[in-house]
Amino acid sequence: MKALEIADKLIQTTDADDSELLFLLKNRTPELEHRLQQAAQQTAIRHYGRNVFIRGLIEFTSYCKNDCYYCGLRRSNACAERYRLTEEEILSCCESGYEYGFRTFVLQGGEDAFFTDERLCSIVRRIRERFSDCAITLSVGERSEESYRALFRAGANRYLLRHETATDRHYKVLHPAEMTLENRLNCLDALRSIGYQVGCGIMVGSPGQTTADIVRDLRYMKQFRPHMVGIGPFIPHKDTPFKDKAAGTAQDTVFLLSIVRLMLPEVLLPATTALGTILPNGRELGIQHGANVVMPNLSPQNVRKKYMLYDNKLSAGAEAAESLRLLEESLKTIGYEIAVSRGDSLIK
Ligand code: SAM
């Protein structure tokens, strides 16, 4: 089968065999990219309209016990400036976020032992009490099933945990031996069975990633049926072992966004900050390739530069929650508008 025929099969049936996906990824042409882009954008519009859901991202701790080779927050990065927000500061981020129109708060951080279940549950409970009409998303890495359960009971609804790669060999390239793909995937299974809306995902162009690895990622996503998928380019950080590695490209990222939209038509798909960082109009391009979520930064201004996962990470302009008008304007130019709603996934 030729690439365009495979594309049509993907568009019509929401799937293709692994060998066909591999062929598609290896035989890109402008015509193929265009066909997938058009179909992906139409699919997103069919399910969610010309709406973009916004999530207020609160990066509440830059401490991390892990040592992922790609991440600027890794424990071995002695140059990283560490901070953690207090419960009151987090609540006050939510207050301003609610005023701006956010109805989802994403609490993201490194794996910081300071945030025991007791502390984190207390924060979640207070947000839940104060903002009963909002969704609370957590993105705090690997924890025990018990912990995930307690946080869910406290009022968290969603959880973002990128699987990073579905290939064991590649997982080992990206992480030290103390971290395993098996544990990561077990966490995702646990989260889903507890009742969270779950997001997995990958970095595009991360060191050691092969095209076959990406096919396994797509297969994993198709089988897992996550409510959300986070896909952004890998971008090197100057104080990590991957400092000299090449960044993933915007072109590869948006191509993959289209394929994911077509394989999981109802998924919530963010146009990530990383995509906006490597390309000035990356966020808009992502939306035109089937993305339908953006996550502006709601963290206090004075800590934003300290949550540096990769070099030059954006946190100003349309990336900043307080500048929602800028985002609104730029989305308007491509025919979209911001939805003031929780923006739940259609996937149940
Ligand atoms: N600690 C939590 C976890 O592991 O899920 C949440 C925070 S972690 C920093 C969030 C995501 O940032 C990771 O899943 C990873 O994909 C992404 N990330 C980290 N370093 C990156 C880099 N250099 N380039 C692009 N994305 C990166």
Side-chain angles (χ1 to χ4, degrees), residues 61-222:
T61 173
S62 69
Y63 286 88
C64 192
K65 69 175 168 60
N66 287 337
D67 223 11
C68 310
Y69 302 133
Y70 46 85
C71 184
L73 302 187
R74 65 196 303 266
R75 66 167 184 259
S76 298
N77 180 8
C79 303
E81 277 190 73
R82 308 290 176 174
Y83 72 90
R84 52 174 77 94
L85 301 183
T86 63
E87 190 165 317
E88 296 311 319
E89 284 172 320
I90 295 172
L91 258 298
S92 127
C93 291
C94 297
E95 284 296 341
S96 13
Y98 195 87
E99 291 284 306
Y100 298 140
F102 289 94
R103 295 297 176 265
T104 293
F105 303 116
V106 181
L107 267 55
Q108 193 187 83
E111 293 198 16
D112 179 358
F114 174 85
F115 288 101
T116 56
D117 288 349
E118 202 185 331
R119 287 197 173 107
L120 206 47
C121 283
S122 155
I123 295 168
V124 170
R125 230 176 275 119
R126 283 189 66 192
I127 301 176
R128 172 58 55 238
E129 278 161 18
R130 173 75 187 78
F131 305 98
S132 54
D133 56 334
C134 294
I136 304 173
T137 306
L138 296 176
S139 178
V140 286
E142 299 173 20
R143 297 174 80 100
S144 68
E145 188 167 341
E146 253 326 286
S147 172
Y148 289 149
R149 233 175 252 292
L151 291 162
F152 188 75
R153 276 196 304 267
N157 319 90
R158 305 181 186 150
Y159 205 102
L160 302 178
L161 183 73
R162 289 188 180 176
H163 63 289
E164 313 296 359
T165 172
T167 306
D168 213 30
R169 170 202 52 76
H170 187 211
Y171 199 87
K172 291 189 172 91
V173 174
L174 300 177
H175 305 96
E178 71 222 26
M179 294 178 73
T180 65
L181 176 60
E182 190 188 1
N183 194 46
R184 196 97 182 153
L185 300 184
N186 285 342
C187 286
L188 281 159
D189 286 340
L191 288 162
R192 160 154 239 157
S193 70
I194 291 168
Y196 283 94
Q197 292 178 33
V198 184
C200 62
I202 60 166
M203 291 176 288
V204 178
S206 62
Q209 183 181 62
T210 66
T211 315
D213 295 337
I214 296 176
V215 171
R216 273 184 290 273
D217 288 321
L218 292 170
R219 187 55 55 209
Y220 171 71
M221 293 178 204
K222 183 74 183 168

Side-chain angles (χ1 to χ4, degrees), residues 11-25:
I11 294 164
Q12 281 152 23
T13 69
T14 75
D15 207 356
D17 304 337
D18 287 1
S19 58
E20 292 169 341
L21 288 173
L22 190 70
F23 190 85
L24 208 59
L25 292 167

